[in-house]
Amino acid sequence: MAKVLVVGSGGREHALCYKFSLSPNVDEVFVANGNGGMDDVATVVNIDPMDFDGLIQFAKEKEIDLTFVGPEIPLCAGITDAFKKENLLIFGPSKAASQLEGSKCFAKDMMQKYDIPTAKYASFHDYETAKEYLVQQTCPIVLKADGLAAGKGVIIAKTMDEALKSLKEMMCDDLFHDAASSLVIEEYLEGEEFSLFAFVNGEDVYPMQIAQDHKRAFDNDEGLNTGGMGAYTPVAHLPQSAVNEAMEKVMKPIASAMVKEGMPYQGVLYGGFMLTDQGVKTIEFNCRFGDPESEVVLQAMTSDLYETIMQVLNHETPEITFSDDTYIGVVMAAEGYPLSYRKNIDLSDLKLKAPECFHMGTKKTADGLVSSGGRVLFISAGAKTLKEAKEKAYERVHQIEREGLFYRSDISDKELLKETN
Ligand code: AMP
Ligand code: GLY
């Protein structure tokens, strides 16, 4: 029986712990540093995800068989390299391979070099050159900070005035701090977005079922971009041909490209795609599972996560299976998010546990459970139909709703509208 260590503290990590805890091959799941609601499925260990020495020492002491890292920050900082140096088994990309997420310029240059479909773009390292280029473009136009910005480093400008203002803020006013000293300006893509996760080991690429996130803060895709406000899986109205195209034209070629470049990818690779009139285009890569998409995709996955990872690590072909049910989840976020948000919202009466409720940003205090993050809870449900799953999920949301928390009420409506047409 195996011991697993999950690194991270959000809803994705709660879902990972939940999924590992279901495995007949796993008898203990630890999570570092976890949050206030994960002890239903894991032992919470108080070690910071960036304290690599502390995590390595813990993994050795507890004889951890597999470490799985949720968030991008430790991956981009080289946690995998540090564990491998100590001969500890970890499933995640190296620091070099994590650049696919850590640097938008790197990802775009790789896509251009290997002819992988993506939005037309140019990268810039100084404001004046960027501005000169920008004024020659048409709107809407997309500005992206080069570095990590927790899903918030993207501006979609509808007018040139807005684009110029954002460019100045991003490159000169430190709005995104170090993340935007370099930036990508790219063509605006129109279409339907989907997220595809794959287990990758060098040239081996095994996809999961696709999901759809909802990036904007409010209903009808209004408000600022966030880390994601809700998700569902599968996405029945998108054709299988789009998923095949994403695999054949993007996921497999980028995995081969990384091998050719001497930085083979090992871990979960997330492709963010837009299905446009000209076919599937890549919006971004992430070097990890998406949050909140993984909360629904991991519930839908009927095969064993631990066994799947072990098989991928051994270059065996895993059989990855999914339920016939549809899964949906709604993020309950703290007022103000994604900007500065309210904290310490009382949640001490919360009764729901995983998988109905994954904790995204909560902590335990002497007075009980309170919110501690911008995204607080992920409330989810699965059912035979999406309509039923949505009703069930929102019934749960309504039981929990309270002052200080907001949520979108239209998660999955795009799909439901297509079903009724
Ligand atoms: P990213 O951080 O690259 O995932 O971007 C965040 C979100 O911005 C994406 O999920 C899209 O909704 C949107 N976005 C990014 N790039 C583009 C683009 N070129 N065209 C249209 N929307 C985009
Ligand atoms: N849900 C989007 C992300 O994880 O980046």
Side-chain angles (χ1 to χ4, degrees), residues 206-235:
Y206 303 105
M208 296 181 88
Q209 174 172 291
I210 64 170
Q212 199 160 52
D213 188 7
H214 295 66
K215 299 266 183 180
R216 299 298 192 101
F218 306 124
D219 282 14
N220 303 313
D221 292 336
E222 282 171 22
L224 292 173
N225 255 322
T226 68
M229 293 297 292
Y232 65 98
T233 187
V235 189

Side-chain angles (χ1 to χ4, degrees), residues 103-181:
S103 166
K104 302 260 186 210
C105 296
F106 173 86
K108 296 295 286 191
D109 290 348
M110 285 290 287
M111 287 190 265
Q112 186 171 55
K113 182 167 174 190
Y114 290 92
D115 211 14
I116 292 170
T118 186
K120 286 195 208 74
Y121 79 104
S123 334
F124 298 94
H125 309 286
D126 79 279
Y127 172 67
E128 288 303 328
T129 328
K131 188 174 160 194
E132 235 166 73
Y133 172 87
L134 181 60
V135 292
Q136 291 163 23
Q137 308 305 308
T138 50
C139 288
I141 186 99
V142 182
L143 308 182
K144 293 187 176 182
D146 178 56
L148 295 177
K152 291 163 244 161
V154 175
I155 300 284
I156 298 171
K158 292 201 184 77
T159 64
M160 191 50 72
D161 279 353
E162 203 184 326
L164 285 166
K165 184 169 167 268
S166 300
L167 181 74
K168 185 152 185 295
E169 280 170 359
M170 286 171 95
M171 289 194 98
C172 307
D173 301 351
D174 257 14
L175 177 62
F176 298 94
H177 307 285
D178 292 341
S181 56

Side-chain angles (χ1 to χ4, degrees), residues 12 72 101 150-151 195 197 213-215 226-229 270 284 286 288-293 375:
R12 166 185 47 212
E72 63 278 16
E101 172 163 10
S195 306
F197 306 143
D213 188 7
H214 295 66
K215 299 266 183 180
T226 68
M229 293 297 292
Y270 164 140
E284 62 164 347
N286 291 321
R288 50 164 176 92
F289 272 125
D291 191 356
E293 298 97 311
R375 295 189 295 175

